[in-house]
């Protein structure tokens, strides 16, 4: 599980690096390719993470655990997006 997650993180970092090298003169296809790489890396991270999260949960509580896990991912993503947009807005004002 840990090695798979490590490979996933490396792939996501590679996708981020690829996107950092872009400019404004790109076609939509040139933007989609590094994003697809990032999503593939995220899949490699989330599969072992979800397995570890459900490993000690009793069978009758798996549905509740899945809902809680999804809720936490959603809230974490919303908070991360908000922080990122706030930083971006303040940098633009600066």
């Amino acid at each position: 599980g840990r090695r798979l997650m490590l490979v996933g993180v490396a792939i996501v970092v590679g996708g981020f690096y690829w996107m950092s090298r872009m400019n404004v003169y790109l076609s939509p296809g040139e933007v989609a390719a590094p994003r697809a790489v990032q999503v593939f890396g995220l899949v490699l991270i989330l599969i072992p993470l979800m397995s570890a999260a459900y490993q000690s949960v009793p069978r009758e509580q798996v549905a509740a655990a899945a809902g809680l896990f999804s809720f936490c991912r959603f809230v974490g993503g919303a908070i991360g997006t908000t922080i990122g947009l706030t930083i971006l807005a303040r940098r633009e004002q600066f």
Side-chain angles (χ1 to χ4, degrees), residues 8-20 34 37-38:
V9 169
I11 290 172
V12 169
V13 167
F16 281 142
Y17 178 73
W18 189 0
M19 289 189 86
S20 75
V37 169
Q38 291 173 356

Side-chain angles (χ1 to χ4, degrees), residues 21-91:
R21 310 292 296 164
M22 294 181 168
N23 58 38
V24 295
Y25 304 109
L26 297 173
S27 70
E30 291 173 311
V31 174
R35 185 66 184 139
V37 169
Q38 291 173 356
V39 169
F40 179 71
L42 285 174
V43 169
L44 293 179
I45 294 170
L46 285 176
I47 289 173
L49 184 63
M50 290 172 61
S51 295
Y54 302 141
Q55 189 172 13
S56 62
V57 176
R59 186 179 285 292
E60 61 273 0
Q61 294 181 341
V62 168
L68 182 61
F69 189 78
S70 295
F71 173 76
C72 291
R73 275 189 20 224
F74 176 75
V75 170
I79 291 170
T81 301
T82 303
I83 291 170
L85 290 175
T86 301
I87 292 170
L88 180 65
R90 295 216 174 139
R91 289 297 301 162

